Amino acid sequence: MASRVLLLTAEGHAADELVQPLERRGLSVVVARDPDQALQRLGDHQLVILDAPDAASLAMVIRRINDQAGSNHPPILAIAHSGDVEARVQLLESGADDVLARPIDPRELEALVEALLLRAPATTQTSGGRPPVEPRPVEARGRVIAFASAKGGSGTTTLAVNTALILAEMAPGNVAIADFDMYHGQVSTHLDMYPRTSTAVLAREDPNNRNPEVFQEAGRRHSDGLTVFGGPYRGDEAADVSGPQLASLVQQMRGLYGTLVIDAGSVIDLRAEAVIESADMVALVLTPDIPSLRLLHAGLQLMSENGTATDRSVFVVNQIYPKQMITAEQIEEHLGVKVGAEIAYDGENFLRAINEGQPLVKMARRTPSATALRKLAEQLTDSAAEPSESPPQRRGRFRFLGRD
Ligand SMILES: Nc1ncnc2c1ncn2[C@@H]1O[C@H](COP(=O)(O)OP(=O)(O)OP(=O)(O)O)[C@@H](O)[C@H]1O
Ligand SMILES: [Mg+2]
């Protein structure tokens, strides 16, 4: 029988109090004492339990697992040596999925292990495989949530990728993210996985030839059950791709997934507008600085002249600066819109997440920005399911800095 649980514990530590309750539940437990050897066999297990003399050593092993396996490792249960809140937070922030404090209560151990094992099948899938694609019935076409901004570097890709992962955690296999940034797609970079083709190639294809096999070939399955469609890599790769081609691609893709998250990039031109217009919900990401507000004002004018997507938009202020100089109220006043969500500043974790290809909601799950991202995901899905009867924004009502 394949072993399900790996218990990595320090030399000389008794393992019985952890092993026995689990074996009584019919789980097979492998006890390892040597981290180097154990970490090489991570993929053989559905859950890792870490037990070490102190929180710092535990955090170090957790980081090693994350460094080695990215997000593609089994869930981690850390055994803390006291109920100390600081130690617990440190372990969760290092990447533990849950923490159990000594003295061990066998029933609590069993309950936590059961809960973590439920998450294991999606978490331990091999990353990078081709995802199965089944067309959905017309009446069950998926919802489309697009992320866009008017200024580069606002965090659009960061927010789109994290939202997609949160949604995929709830419905593994039923969520896809597609990079529709036609200038420099970075969704793959954020997830550290590199599909062979791009949405630009798919968009150019005759829609009649885009059958489920084409999508199966083009997408890649992230270890968390998220299907990933990469965007163009070079700035000139999608120069000839048109808005209608992109909109047609969105329509086809929504027939394949329960939720399709789109990164529409950071330039609101007519091409991006066509993509945004196809979405059920749009997260318009802005940063609290004047250039971002000016560009978004222009983008909103273009959007409201060419469609109705502003009626389905949530304005998300992303605090990419350590010091806040423009408040949400000032933004609301200047743009004449309602700020729907704010993502807290977390320079270190967001940068680490990008550089390591492991999004923040996986790497630092308990931070304020991860919490805000989960709230945003909820807000976008709720709104997409039940379109507001009286949308807060209307066409042509944007005003900004006295210029219209
Ligand atoms: N809330 C935040 N706090 C601190 N840094 C952040 C935050 N959100 C995003 N960042 C950082 O901002 C940078 C830009 O993020 P990202 O690449 O997602 O932006 P973008 O709008 O997609 O950019 P592009 O114009 O290149 O497409 C990244 O280094 C990211 O780590
Ligand atoms: Mg981007």
Side-chain angles (χ1 to χ4, degrees):
M1 182 175 74
S3 51
R4 301 203 73 197
V5 179
L6 171 69
L7 168 61
L8 178 56
T9 182
E11 288 293 345
H13 250 224
D16 286 355
E17 65 173 329
L18 293 166
V19 174
Q20 279 173 1
L22 300 180
E23 288 190 337
R24 272 202 303 273
R25 299 285 292 196
L27 298 168
S28 90
V29 184
V30 168
V31 180
R33 307 278 183 187
D34 177 350
D36 290 329
Q37 276 182 7
L39 297 191
Q40 281 170 15
R41 308 289 310 271
L42 277 183
D44 296 345
H45 305 277
Q46 278 81 52
L47 174 68
V48 182
I49 301 180
L50 297 178
D51 188 16
D54 53 74
S57 318
L58 277 173
M60 204 175 70
V61 180
I62 296 168
R63 277 196 212 100
R64 272 187 64 189
I65 292 178
N66 282 324
D67 287 348
Q68 182 181 308
S71 58
N72 189 26
H73 61 72
I76 299 171
L77 174 63
I79 306 297
H81 283 258
S82 74
D84 177 47
V85 175
E86 278 303 310
R88 186 181 163 80
V89 170
Q90 186 190 355
L91 291 171
L92 290 170
E93 285 187 358
S94 315
D97 292 272
D98 221 322
V99 178
L100 178 64
R102 289 191 189 279
I104 302 289
D105 177 321
R107 283 164 315 156
E108 194 184 359
L109 170 68
E110 286 168 28
L112 282 178
V113 165
E114 296 279 321
L116 289 169
L117 282 174
L118 276 181
R119 288 167 44 183
T123 324
T124 52
Q125 276 176 40
T126 313
S127 188
R130 284 183 204 148
V133 176
E134 286 279 339
R136 298 164 67 83
V138 176
E139 66 281 5
R141 282 162 17 120
R143 65 188 156 208
V144 178
I145 300 173
F147 283 75
S149 67
K151 179 172 154 285
S154 303
T156 313
T157 306
T158 303
L159 269 49
V161 163
N162 279 285
T163 302
L165 277 176
I166 292 165
L167 299 178
E169 238 177 44
M170 293 187 255
N174 205 16
V175 180
I177 182 165
D179 195 341
F180 276 69
D181 181 330
M182 289 296 119
Y183 297 98
H184 46 235
Q186 290 281 8
V187 166
S188 328
T189 316
H190 283 238
L191 290 164
D192 193 23
M193 56 193 316
Y194 301 92
R196 266 184 296 149
T197 188
S198 88
T199 47
V201 174
L202 287 175
R204 263 189 228 107
E205 190 65 65
D206 178 342
N208 296 317
N209 296 338
R210 282 194 304 240
N211 54 38
E213 288 72 44
V214 168
F215 288 103
Q216 181 158 347
E217 184 67 31
R220 284 289 173 271
R221 177 64 68 83
H222 187 263
S223 56
D224 288 285
L226 174 70
T227 300
V228 181
F229 293 93
Y233 178 61
R234 282 174 40 151
D236 59 351
E237 223 178 298
D240 60 337
V241 174
S242 70
Q245 282 176 326
L246 293 173
S248 143
L249 180 58
V250 175
Q251 291 311 332
Q252 244 177 338
M253 291 179 93
R254 79 183 319 156
L256 302 172
Y257 305 96
T259 304
L260 175 67
V261 176
I262 287 179
D263 177 352
S266 43
V267 178
I268 301 182
D269 54 11
L270 284 172
R271 197 157 62 158
E273 214 284 318
V275 174
I276 294 167
E277 201 50 41
S278 317
D280 300 294
M281 235 12 238
V282 184
L284 286 172
V285 184
L286 65 144
T287 52
D289 57 78
I290 296 298
S292 172
L293 298 188
R294 292 186 78 102
L295 285 168
L296 182 56
H297 179 252
L300 290 173
Q301 282 183 332
L302 185 145
M303 284 170 68
S304 54
E305 281 161 23
N306 290 282
T308 57
T310 51
D311 295 348
R312 307 184 294 281
S313 296
V314 172
F315 291 83
V316 184
V317 176
N318 189 19
Q319 299 288 355
I320 61 165
Y321 307 114
K323 191 167 184 302
Q324 187 183 34
M325 293 175 81
I326 298 180
T327 64
E329 291 72 36
Q330 288 170 318
I331 291 169
E332 289 183 339
E333 193 182 325
H334 284 309
L335 281 181
V337 301
K338 177 116 194 64
V339 169
E342 280 187 68
I343 308 298
Y345 172 77
D346 190 347
E348 192 181 328
N349 279 322
F350 274 115
L351 189 57
R352 195 150 66 90
I354 284 193
N355 287 337
E356 294 182 8
Q358 201 193 355
L360 184 116
V361 288
K362 299 267 117 197
M363 198 191 69
R365 312 171 67 92
R366 309 305 204 271
T367 53
S369 29
T371 305
L373 286 162
R374 277 192 289 271
K375 214 167 123 198
L376 173 64
E378 216 170 280
Q379 193 177 339
L380 290 168
T381 44
D382 284 354
S383 312
E386 299 162 33
S388 154
E389 280 184 13
S390 51
Q393 289 87 38
R394 272 188 226 101
R395 292 177 67 166
R397 72 177 270 236
F398 302 105
R399 64 200 155 74
F400 171 73
L401 302 177
R403 282 186 53 190
D404 243 338

